[in-house]
Amino acid sequence: MGLAEQFLRAGSHASASDIITKYAQQHPTEPATAADLKPGDDGQHQGILSADDVAKAMALIASSANDSGSQWKADEFAAGISKHCPSLSWEDVIYKLPYAHLNVKHESGAVFIVNAFLAATAGQNRPFPYSFMYEIWPDAPAQVSFLRCTLRSASIAPYLLDKHMPTVLADPLDLLYKAYHPEFTRILASPWNSLSLILVLTHLLDSKASEDARALLEAGIAQEPLLVTLALARLKIQHPRLQALLQHNVARFLKRDFGHNGLFFELFRIYEKKMMLAFFCNIHRKDPSFSRHILDVLVDLGMANDLLLIPKREDIMMLDFIVELAVFASRRGMLAFETWFPGLLAELGGD
C-alpha cells in the first residue's frame, strides 16, 4: 500500500504526521545501494518515500480539498515527510504532480500544495516552482482547473509571480513607473503578469479543455485587461481567434472601455510599436469613426507629428490611414491639409 492509499484508508480523523509515521514504521528504510547514491550522498539519509510517492499523496489531498479546506494540514504533512525523507527534492515532487492524477477543484487544494512546499523548504530561500503550471500536462481539464484555483487565491499569489517571463518589467521603464506608480506597482505584483501563463492558455484553447481555457482567458481580460492584451501582442500569437480578440481589446482601449488606457498604449508603444500602428490602421479601415480616438492616442504618445509630417517609406502601405488622420489633425489646427497633402504626394513621387 502506497502513502496515498494510506491517507485514503486512514481518513481525515487521523493527522498527517500520524499517517506518515505509521507508513514509515510499516516500511523501514532499506540500506542504499551504490546505484541509488547520487554524487555527494553518503547513504545515511535515504528516505522511505520517492518524489513520486509524495506527489501522489499531495495530489490526493489537494484534489479532495473543498470549500472548507483540505482534510490535512500542509505544515504537518511537510514536517512528517521531511522527518523521514530529509534529502527529498520538493521541487521534483511539485513537477511530478501533473502526472500524479492531480485534479484540484477548489482554491484550498492549490493553497495546500503551495503551503506544503513553503513549510518543507522554510529558511532555505527556495522559491515555489510555479513554472510547473505552464508545462503541458497530460490532463488538460485538470491543468485549467488548477490554474483557475491558483489565480483566484490572494494568499498564494505572491508565490506565483513569473520572474522568468513577465509581460511587464519595471527596470527599463523608470519614467513610466514614476508617472503611473500606483497602477504600475499593482500590475507588477499580479499573477497575470506572465507571458508563460497566457502562452499555456493559448495552447489549451486547442485541447479538450478549450471552453474552460477560453472562460479563464476571458476572466483574465475582465480582471487584468492591460496585462492579458499586452501579453497577446508580445507573444505574436497567430491564432485567428486570438488575433481578433487582440484587435477587439485594442479597440476597447481606444474607446476607453478599460481603465488605464494611457499606460496601456505607452507600454504597447515601447514593446510593439510597429504592431500598434498596424492595429490602428486595421481598426480604422474597419471603422473610420475610430480615427479621432487613434489621433488622440498618437498625440498623447508624441507620435502624431512623426507619422504625419515625416512619413517613412514603410508607411506607404497605410497611406489611406495616414491621410484620414491628417484630415482630423487639420480640423484641430495641427496642420494645413491643403499644403500637407501636395507635399506628401511630392515626397512620395520623389521616392
Side-chain angles (χ1 to χ4, degrees):
M1 181 187 298
L3 180 62
E5 290 76 18
Q6 191 88 25
F7 271 91
L8 271 178
R9 184 174 182 179
S12 59
H13 64 276
S15 71
S17 57
D18 287 344
I19 294 173
I20 296 168
T21 297
K22 182 177 180 180
Y23 182 88
Q25 292 170 348
Q26 295 173 347
H27 300 78
T29 305
E30 298 179 1
T33 66
D36 296 325
L37 295 177
K38 298 179 181 179
D41 287 343
D42 57 9
Q44 299 301 311
H45 300 286
Q46 299 300 308
I48 59 170
L49 294 163
S50 68
D52 286 306
D53 296 326
V54 179
K56 289 176 182 177
M58 284 186 74
L60 171 70
I61 296 171
S63 300
S64 62
N66 53 39
D67 289 334
S68 301
S70 60
Q71 299 181 63
W72 292 279
K73 296 180 179 179
D75 55 348
E76 288 186 2
F77 178 85
I81 296 295
S82 297
K83 176 181 178 181
H84 298 285
C85 306
S87 298
L88 179 71
S89 168
W90 283 87
E91 286 80 5
D92 285 351
V93 171
I94 298 300
Y95 276 100
K96 289 179 181 294
L97 285 173
Y99 306 93
H101 306 294
L102 178 68
N103 193 5
V104 171
K105 297 297 184 182
H106 296 275
E107 180 183 318
S108 57
V111 171
F112 174 85
I113 289 172
V114 175
N115 285 344
F117 177 90
L118 296 176
T121 60
Q124 300 176 31
N125 195 29
R126 288 155 64 182
F128 181 76
Y130 57 83
S131 56
F132 91 101
M133 300 188 300
Y134 307 136
E135 297 187 345
I136 303 300
W137 290 20
D139 186 342
Q143 183 171 15
V144 176
S145 182
F146 186 82
L147 288 170
R148 184 190 306 113
C149 291
T150 56
L151 291 167
R152 285 177 178 171
S153 175
S155 64
I156 60 176
Y159 306 104
L160 305 177
L161 298 184
D162 190 345
K163 296 180 177 63
H164 300 299
M165 288 181 63
T167 303
V168 177
L169 276 170
D171 293 344
L173 306 171
D174 290 340
L175 292 178
L176 275 185
Y177 187 82
K178 293 175 182 177
Y180 297 93
H181 179 68
E183 177 62 9
F184 216 119
T185 301
R186 191 194 65 77
I187 65 173
L188 289 175
S190 170
W192 284 97
N193 184 25
S194 170
L195 294 173
S196 303
L197 169 60
I198 304 305
L199 184 60
V200 76
L201 283 176
T202 63
H203 286 309
L204 287 165
L205 289 175
D206 293 320
S207 72
K208 294 180 180 178
S210 59
E211 292 301 319
D212 290 338
R214 185 177 297 108
L216 184 54
L217 189 61
E218 290 173 354
I221 292 171
Q223 182 179 343
E224 297 285 4
L226 184 153
L227 289 172
V228 176
T229 305
L230 192 61
L232 288 172
R234 294 198 62 192
L235 289 168
K236 297 179 174 61
I237 303 296
Q238 297 303 310
H239 194 295
R241 187 181 301 155
L242 291 175
Q243 280 286 307
L245 175 62
L246 176 54
Q247 185 156 303
H248 175 70
N249 282 2
V250 173
R252 293 189 66 185
F253 272 108
L254 283 169
K255 292 192 297 183
R256 300 176 184 269
D257 288 349
F258 296 131
H260 307 288
N261 64 303
L263 177 57
F264 170 75
F265 286 116
E266 289 279 11
L267 292 169
F268 204 177
R269 174 184 62 83
I270 290 170
Y271 289 118
E272 299 291 343
K273 180 179 177 180
K274 288 185 178 179
M275 179 187 291
M276 182 183 74
L277 291 175
F279 269 79
F280 285 173
C281 182
N282 290 336
I283 290 171
H284 154 76
R285 286 171 176 166
K286 289 185 176 181
D287 186 350
S289 68
F290 274 95
S291 297
R292 61 187 180 89
H293 299 301
I294 294 170
L295 182 59
D296 288 338
V297 170
L298 292 175
V299 170
D300 291 341
L301 296 176
M303 294 174 60
N305 286 340
D306 285 347
L307 186 62
L308 296 173
L309 302 181
I310 318 172
K312 301 177 179 62
R313 180 181 292 273
E314 59 264 28
D315 296 336
I316 195 170
M317 296 304 295
M318 52 182 183
L319 186 58
D320 59 320
F321 168 57
I322 294 174
V323 170
E324 186 70 20
L325 287 181
V327 170
F328 275 95
S330 68
R331 293 173 183 171
R332 298 182 184 183
M334 296 172 59
L335 57 78
F337 187 81
E338 61 274 12
T339 56
W340 175 86
F341 189 61
L344 176 66
L345 293 178
E347 181 72 23
L348 294 176
D351 290 338

